[in-house]
Amino acid sequence: MNATRHEEFREYVAARGPVLLRMAMQLTGERAEAEDLLQAALAKTYLAWDRINDRSAVDGYVRRAMVNTQISWWRRRKLEVYPTDELPDRPVDDHSQRSELHDALGRALERLPARQRLAVMLRYYEDMSENEIAEVLGVSVGTVKSTVSRAMAKLRDDAGLGDQFPGIPSSDY
């Protein structure tokens, strides 16, 4: 009986999913949030599947679950703003400088040879160990160390990135 319940629910979701997603989009305004909302509502519906005797009323049940869930999320996200006559002492963080640095690093990475770029990406973006990188690339650990070391030296030298990016290690290897 449980397999039948599961299959019946699965068929319902396959048939009505796109329609329900459109409603979720109307509630949230963003596709990713709509998908999350629909998923939450469908999870609630699945748990109550045996209690829904009239299968023609399932759409209404899911819609009500979406509305209730969205209202719950709105309440949780409610911003608490307390107006004040005084401005804070510390300056507001300027994200533009970080964005410029990120762009400069991206351009510098693009100028690296493919093997060096891959080694750096695996090491610092994927946080893989030297042994893991060696296995992925099919080279020795020593080759990984020297490749990453050369790549990091090029990145530091390229447009003075060593000064701009204190997070780039100067002697990791």
Side-chain angles (χ1 to χ4, degrees), residues 49-66:
W49 192 253
D50 292 334
R51 294 189 316 260
I52 304 172
N53 296 326
D54 183 7
R55 293 296 188 225
S56 64
V58 175
D59 276 2
Y61 187 94
V62 175
R63 286 188 187 110
R64 176 48 46 194
M66 280 194 286

PDB file of all heavy atoms in Angstrom, residues 49-66:
ATOM      1  N   TRP A  49      -1.065  12.878   2.675  1.00  0.00           N
ATOM      2  CA  TRP A  49      -1.663  12.229   1.510  1.00  0.00           C
ATOM      3  C   TRP A  49      -2.778  11.246   1.881  1.00  0.00           C
ATOM      4  O   TRP A  49      -3.829  11.218   1.241  1.00  0.00           O
ATOM      5  CB  TRP A  49      -0.579  11.526   0.699  1.00  0.00           C
ATOM      6  CG  TRP A  49      -1.031  11.078  -0.651  1.00  0.00           C
ATOM      7  CD1 TRP A  49      -1.285   9.805  -1.054  1.00  0.00           C
ATOM      8  CD2 TRP A  49      -1.288  11.901  -1.782  1.00  0.00           C
ATOM      9  NE1 TRP A  49      -1.669   9.784  -2.367  1.00  0.00           N
ATOM     10  CE2 TRP A  49      -1.679  11.070  -2.841  1.00  0.00           C
ATOM     11  CE3 TRP A  49      -1.228  13.278  -2.007  1.00  0.00           C
ATOM     12  CZ2 TRP A  49      -2.007  11.544  -4.106  1.00  0.00           C
ATOM     13  CZ3 TRP A  49      -1.548  13.754  -3.271  1.00  0.00           C
ATOM     14  CH2 TRP A  49      -1.937  12.898  -4.293  1.00  0.00           C
ATOM     15  N   ASP A  50      -2.593  10.470   2.905  1.00  0.00           N
ATOM     16  CA  ASP A  50      -3.600   9.476   3.297  1.00  0.00           C
ATOM     17  C   ASP A  50      -4.861  10.117   3.879  1.00  0.00           C
ATOM     18  O   ASP A  50      -5.928   9.511   3.863  1.00  0.00           O
ATOM     19  CB  ASP A  50      -3.019   8.490   4.313  1.00  0.00           C
ATOM     20  CG  ASP A  50      -1.958   7.601   3.690  1.00  0.00           C
ATOM     21  OD1 ASP A  50      -2.001   7.382   2.463  1.00  0.00           O
ATOM     22  OD2 ASP A  50      -1.074   7.136   4.431  1.00  0.00           O
ATOM     23  N   ARG A  51      -4.735  11.331   4.394  1.00  0.00           N
ATOM     24  CA  ARG A  51      -5.885  12.015   4.989  1.00  0.00           C
ATOM     25  C   ARG A  51      -6.715  12.781   3.959  1.00  0.00           C
ATOM     26  O   ARG A  51      -7.800  13.246   4.269  1.00  0.00           O
ATOM     27  CB  ARG A  51      -5.416  12.981   6.070  1.00  0.00           C
ATOM     28  CG  ARG A  51      -4.805  12.275   7.263  1.00  0.00           C
ATOM     29  CD  ARG A  51      -4.536  13.228   8.412  1.00  0.00           C
ATOM     30  NE  ARG A  51      -3.931  14.485   8.039  1.00  0.00           N
ATOM     31  CZ  ARG A  51      -2.626  14.776   8.159  1.00  0.00           C
ATOM     32  NH1 ARG A  51      -1.806  13.870   8.647  1.00  0.00           N
ATOM     33  NH2 ARG A  51      -2.167  15.942   7.797  1.00  0.00           N
ATOM     34  N   ILE A  52      -6.181  12.942   2.745  1.00  0.00           N
ATOM     35  CA  ILE A  52      -6.917  13.660   1.699  1.00  0.00           C
ATOM     36  C   ILE A  52      -7.770  12.636   0.950  1.00  0.00           C
ATOM     37  O   ILE A  52      -7.287  11.918   0.084  1.00  0.00           O
ATOM     38  CB  ILE A  52      -5.950  14.390   0.737  1.00  0.00           C
ATOM     39  CG1 ILE A  52      -5.038  15.335   1.515  1.00  0.00           C
ATOM     40  CG2 ILE A  52      -6.736  15.144  -0.325  1.00  0.00           C
ATOM     41  CD1 ILE A  52      -3.930  15.949   0.687  1.00  0.00           C
ATOM     42  N   ASN A  53      -9.037  12.588   1.308  1.00  0.00           N
ATOM     43  CA  ASN A  53      -9.935  11.598   0.723  1.00  0.00           C
ATOM     44  C   ASN A  53     -10.370  11.974  -0.682  1.00  0.00           C
ATOM     45  O   ASN A  53     -10.510  11.117  -1.543  1.00  0.00           O
ATOM     46  CB  ASN A  53     -11.166  11.405   1.615  1.00  0.00           C
ATOM     47  CG  ASN A  53     -10.784  10.836   2.967  1.00  0.00           C
ATOM     48  OD1 ASN A  53      -9.848  10.040   3.060  1.00  0.00           O
ATOM     49  ND2 ASN A  53     -11.475  11.254   4.007  1.00  0.00           N
ATOM     50  N   ASP A  54     -10.608  13.254  -0.915  1.00  0.00           N
ATOM     51  CA  ASP A  54     -11.068  13.728  -2.219  1.00  0.00           C
ATOM     52  C   ASP A  54      -9.846  14.146  -3.033  1.00  0.00           C
ATOM     53  O   ASP A  54      -9.298  15.225  -2.839  1.00  0.00           O
ATOM     54  CB  ASP A  54     -12.036  14.900  -2.026  1.00  0.00           C
ATOM     55  CG  ASP A  54     -12.604  15.406  -3.335  1.00  0.00           C
ATOM     56  OD1 ASP A  54     -12.359  14.779  -4.390  1.00  0.00           O
ATOM     57  OD2 ASP A  54     -13.311  16.443  -3.302  1.00  0.00           O
ATOM     58  N   ARG A  55      -9.420  13.296  -3.957  1.00  0.00           N
ATOM     59  CA  ARG A  55      -8.212  13.579  -4.743  1.00  0.00           C
ATOM     60  C   ARG A  55      -8.376  14.802  -5.648  1.00  0.00           C
ATOM     61  O   ARG A  55      -7.405  15.402  -6.076  1.00  0.00           O
ATOM     62  CB  ARG A  55      -7.811  12.363  -5.589  1.00  0.00           C
ATOM     63  CG  ARG A  55      -7.353  11.177  -4.760  1.00  0.00           C
ATOM     64  CD  ARG A  55      -6.092  11.506  -3.996  1.00  0.00           C
ATOM     65  NE  ARG A  55      -5.563  10.321  -3.350  1.00  0.00           N
ATOM     66  CZ  ARG A  55      -5.132  10.287  -2.111  1.00  0.00           C
ATOM     67  NH1 ARG A  55      -5.155  11.344  -1.365  1.00  0.00           N
ATOM     68  NH2 ARG A  55      -4.663   9.175  -1.607  1.00  0.00           N
ATOM     69  N   SER A  56      -9.609  15.205  -5.930  1.00  0.00           N
ATOM     70  CA  SER A  56      -9.812  16.415  -6.736  1.00  0.00           C
ATOM     71  C   SER A  56      -9.517  17.667  -5.912  1.00  0.00           C
ATOM     72  O   SER A  56      -9.395  18.763  -6.465  1.00  0.00           O
ATOM     73  CB  SER A  56     -11.236  16.462  -7.291  1.00  0.00           C
ATOM     74  OG  SER A  56     -12.173  16.560  -6.234  1.00  0.00           O
ATOM     75  N   ALA A  57      -9.382  17.526  -4.596  1.00  0.00           N
ATOM     76  CA  ALA A  57      -9.105  18.659  -3.717  1.00  0.00           C
ATOM     77  C   ALA A  57      -7.616  18.817  -3.414  1.00  0.00           C
ATOM     78  O   ALA A  57      -7.229  19.704  -2.660  1.00  0.00           O
ATOM     79  CB  ALA A  57      -9.883  18.506  -2.422  1.00  0.00           C
ATOM     80  N   VAL A  58      -6.773  17.982  -4.010  1.00  0.00           N
ATOM     81  CA  VAL A  58      -5.343  18.019  -3.701  1.00  0.00           C
ATOM     82  C   VAL A  58      -4.720  19.349  -4.103  1.00  0.00           C
ATOM     83  O   VAL A  58      -3.918  19.921  -3.366  1.00  0.00           O
ATOM     84  CB  VAL A  58      -4.596  16.834  -4.350  1.00  0.00           C
ATOM     85  CG1 VAL A  58      -3.106  16.935  -4.124  1.00  0.00           C
ATOM     86  CG2 VAL A  58      -5.120  15.517  -3.799  1.00  0.00           C
ATOM     87  N   ASP A  59      -5.108  19.878  -5.277  1.00  0.00           N
ATOM     88  CA  ASP A  59      -4.562  21.174  -5.701  1.00  0.00           C
ATOM     89  C   ASP A  59      -4.845  22.252  -4.658  1.00  0.00           C
ATOM     90  O   ASP A  59      -3.977  23.057  -4.328  1.00  0.00           O
ATOM     91  CB  ASP A  59      -5.146  21.605  -7.043  1.00  0.00           C
ATOM     92  CG  ASP A  59      -4.417  20.996  -8.221  1.00  0.00           C
ATOM     93  OD1 ASP A  59      -3.484  20.200  -8.009  1.00  0.00           O
ATOM     94  OD2 ASP A  59      -4.777  21.337  -9.376  1.00  0.00           O
ATOM     95  N   GLY A  60      -6.045  22.268  -4.146  1.00  0.00           N
ATOM     96  CA  GLY A  60      -6.410  23.240  -3.117  1.00  0.00           C
ATOM     97  C   GLY A  60      -5.580  23.067  -1.863  1.00  0.00           C
ATOM     98  O   GLY A  60      -5.163  24.043  -1.231  1.00  0.00           O
ATOM     99  N   TYR A  61      -5.329  21.819  -1.490  1.00  0.00           N
ATOM    100  CA  TYR A  61      -4.516  21.538  -0.315  1.00  0.00           C
ATOM    101  C   TYR A  61      -3.097  22.068  -0.519  1.00  0.00           C
ATOM    102  O   TYR A  61      -2.527  22.727   0.357  1.00  0.00           O
ATOM    103  CB  TYR A  61      -4.487  20.032  -0.028  1.00  0.00           C
ATOM    104  CG  TYR A  61      -3.805  19.681   1.263  1.00  0.00           C
ATOM    105  CD1 TYR A  61      -4.532  19.525   2.429  1.00  0.00           C
ATOM    106  CD2 TYR A  61      -2.425  19.536   1.320  1.00  0.00           C
ATOM    107  CE1 TYR A  61      -3.904  19.224   3.627  1.00  0.00           C
ATOM    108  CE2 TYR A  61      -1.782  19.237   2.510  1.00  0.00           C
ATOM    109  CZ  TYR A  61      -2.528  19.085   3.659  1.00  0.00           C
ATOM    110  OH  TYR A  61      -1.898  18.800   4.848  1.00  0.00           O
ATOM    111  N   VAL A  62      -2.517  21.799  -1.701  1.00  0.00           N
ATOM    112  CA  VAL A  62      -1.149  22.247  -1.981  1.00  0.00           C
ATOM    113  C   VAL A  62      -1.096  23.773  -2.017  1.00  0.00           C
ATOM    114  O   VAL A  62      -0.167  24.383  -1.474  1.00  0.00           O
ATOM    115  CB  VAL A  62      -0.627  21.648  -3.309  1.00  0.00           C
ATOM    116  CG1 VAL A  62       0.736  22.209  -3.663  1.00  0.00           C
ATOM    117  CG2 VAL A  62      -0.558  20.132  -3.215  1.00  0.00           C
ATOM    118  N   ARG A  63      -2.083  24.389  -2.655  1.00  0.00           N
ATOM    119  CA  ARG A  63      -2.111  25.860  -2.717  1.00  0.00           C
ATOM    120  C   ARG A  63      -2.182  26.462  -1.319  1.00  0.00           C
ATOM    121  O   ARG A  63      -1.481  27.418  -1.007  1.00  0.00           O
ATOM    122  CB  ARG A  63      -3.296  26.328  -3.557  1.00  0.00           C
ATOM    123  CG  ARG A  63      -3.105  26.121  -5.024  1.00  0.00           C
ATOM    124  CD  ARG A  63      -4.238  26.786  -5.810  1.00  0.00           C
ATOM    125  NE  ARG A  63      -4.128  26.440  -7.203  1.00  0.00           N
ATOM    126  CZ  ARG A  63      -4.980  25.643  -7.848  1.00  0.00           C
ATOM    127  NH1 ARG A  63      -6.031  25.142  -7.231  1.00  0.00           N
ATOM    128  NH2 ARG A  63      -4.805  25.369  -9.118  1.00  0.00           N
ATOM    129  N   ARG A  64      -3.046  25.912  -0.474  1.00  0.00           N
ATOM    130  CA  ARG A  64      -3.172  26.419   0.889  1.00  0.00           C
ATOM    131  C   ARG A  64      -1.855  26.223   1.644  1.00  0.00           C
ATOM    132  O   ARG A  64      -1.414  27.089   2.386  1.00  0.00           O
ATOM    133  CB  ARG A  64      -4.330  25.701   1.597  1.00  0.00           C
ATOM    134  CG  ARG A  64      -4.551  26.033   3.047  1.00  0.00           C
ATOM    135  CD  ARG A  64      -4.591  27.474   3.483  1.00  0.00           C
ATOM    136  NE  ARG A  64      -5.371  28.400   2.727  1.00  0.00           N
ATOM    137  CZ  ARG A  64      -5.261  29.725   2.852  1.00  0.00           C
ATOM    138  NH1 ARG A  64      -4.424  30.260   3.715  1.00  0.00           N
ATOM    139  NH2 ARG A  64      -5.982  30.522   2.136  1.00  0.00           N
ATOM    140  N   ALA A  65      -1.207  25.098   1.436  1.00  0.00           N
ATOM    141  CA  ALA A  65       0.087  24.836   2.081  1.00  0.00           C
ATOM    142  C   ALA A  65       1.127  25.845   1.601  1.00  0.00           C
ATOM    143  O   ALA A  65       1.940  26.335   2.394  1.00  0.00           O
ATOM    144  CB  ALA A  65       0.549  23.410   1.787  1.00  0.00           C
ATOM    145  N   MET A  66       1.110  26.187   0.303  1.00  0.00           N
ATOM    146  CA  MET A  66       2.060  27.181  -0.219  1.00  0.00           C
ATOM    147  C   MET A  66       1.795  28.549   0.404  1.00  0.00           C
ATOM    148  O   MET A  66       2.730  29.234   0.822  1.00  0.00           O
ATOM    149  CB  MET A  66       1.973  27.276  -1.752  1.00  0.00           C
ATOM    150  CG  MET A  66       2.725  26.179  -2.451  1.00  0.00           C
ATOM    151  SD  MET A  66       2.979  26.502  -4.208  1.00  0.00           S
ATOM    152  CE  MET A  66       1.350  26.229  -4.856  1.00  0.00           C
TER     153      MET A  66
END
